[in-house]
Amino acid sequence: MLRSVLGLIALFSLGACGDAPFDLDAGASPALGAAYVRQRGCAACHQSGDTSFGELSGQEVPFAGTLVYGSNLTPDVLTGLGNWSDVQIIRAMIAGVDDQLAQLCPPSPHLGDLSELEARSIVDYLRTLPPVYRADVPASLCPPLKPFLPDLSVAGSDDGGTP
Ligand code: HEC
């Protein structure tokens, strides 16, 4: 446990590259990641009831009584994790923060018991998923963590439609 915590601290402080004190990639594999994803039940929150949308591509229906949507975990660049670094994905799983370090909405879990092997394997697995573009999965709102903020820059920059 201590070793795992120290490893993650090293991972966060060093970033995706750099000389880690031990080999974080040792033994990690997409196949292992697939097994961990099943074990953790990620699909319950990140997969549509309609499987034709694609594996772990997000939920277009919010959690009951909320405006929170299980996000698209496929490598799609616009609506998924295509632009997230490994460390950003691992941080989201463990600390419950997004790529801007903003808090994620509940019920997004904080997986404090994630080992390096598990974290690395899950990332490896997510990278193997076919990218799915899901414009129909809205951004989550959960005030006061994530309040709705009107985009004033758009409203104030109306130049009459010149592209
Ligand atoms: C109980 C439901 C639940 C489970 C189980 C769950 N998540 Fe999530 N997760 C969420 C919700 C809801 C969000 C989006 C929160 C938000 O947008 O503020 C999220 C966000 C994320 C994010 C950040 C991505 C983004 O675009 O915001 C990642 C990465 C992630 N989850 C990975 C996983 C992985 C991998 C698993 C399995 C190990 C998992 N989650 C299990 C509910 C869940």
Side-chain angles (χ1 to χ4, degrees), residues 17-67:
C17 43
D19 297 315
F22 52 89
D23 186 1
L24 296 175
D25 276 324
S29 75
L32 206 51
Y36 285 131
V37 161
R38 265 196 308 278
Q39 196 178 56
R40 295 274 184 183
C42 312
C45 300
H46 287 283
Q47 183 145 343
S48 174
D50 178 349
T51 49
S52 67
F53 280 114
E55 194 174 346
L56 297 179
S57 69
Q59 296 185 336
E60 66 286 1
V61 178
F63 290 90
T66 74
L67 289 173

Side-chain angles (χ1 to χ4, degrees), residues 38-126:
R38 265 196 308 278
Q39 196 178 56
R40 295 274 184 183
C42 312
C45 300
H46 287 283
Q47 183 145 343
S48 174
D50 178 349
T51 49
S52 67
F53 280 114
E55 194 174 346
L56 297 179
S57 69
Q59 296 185 336
E60 66 286 1
V61 178
F63 290 90
T66 74
L67 289 173
V68 177
Y69 300 83
S71 41
N72 178 358
L73 301 184
T74 74
D76 179 61
V77 173
L78 291 175
T79 63
L81 301 179
N83 280 333
W84 289 45
S85 69
D86 293 1
V87 169
Q88 285 170 333
I89 296 174
I90 294 172
R91 210 160 37 199
M93 290 190 282
I94 294 175
V97 291
D98 69 12
D99 54 342
Q100 312 292 315
L101 295 182
Q103 289 289 325
L104 293 169
C105 295
S108 166
H110 295 190
L111 304 175
D113 61 337
L114 211 63
S115 69
E116 298 98 354
L117 177 65
E118 191 176 349
R120 279 280 161 202
S121 296
I122 289 176
V123 169
D124 288 353
Y125 174 62
L126 295 179

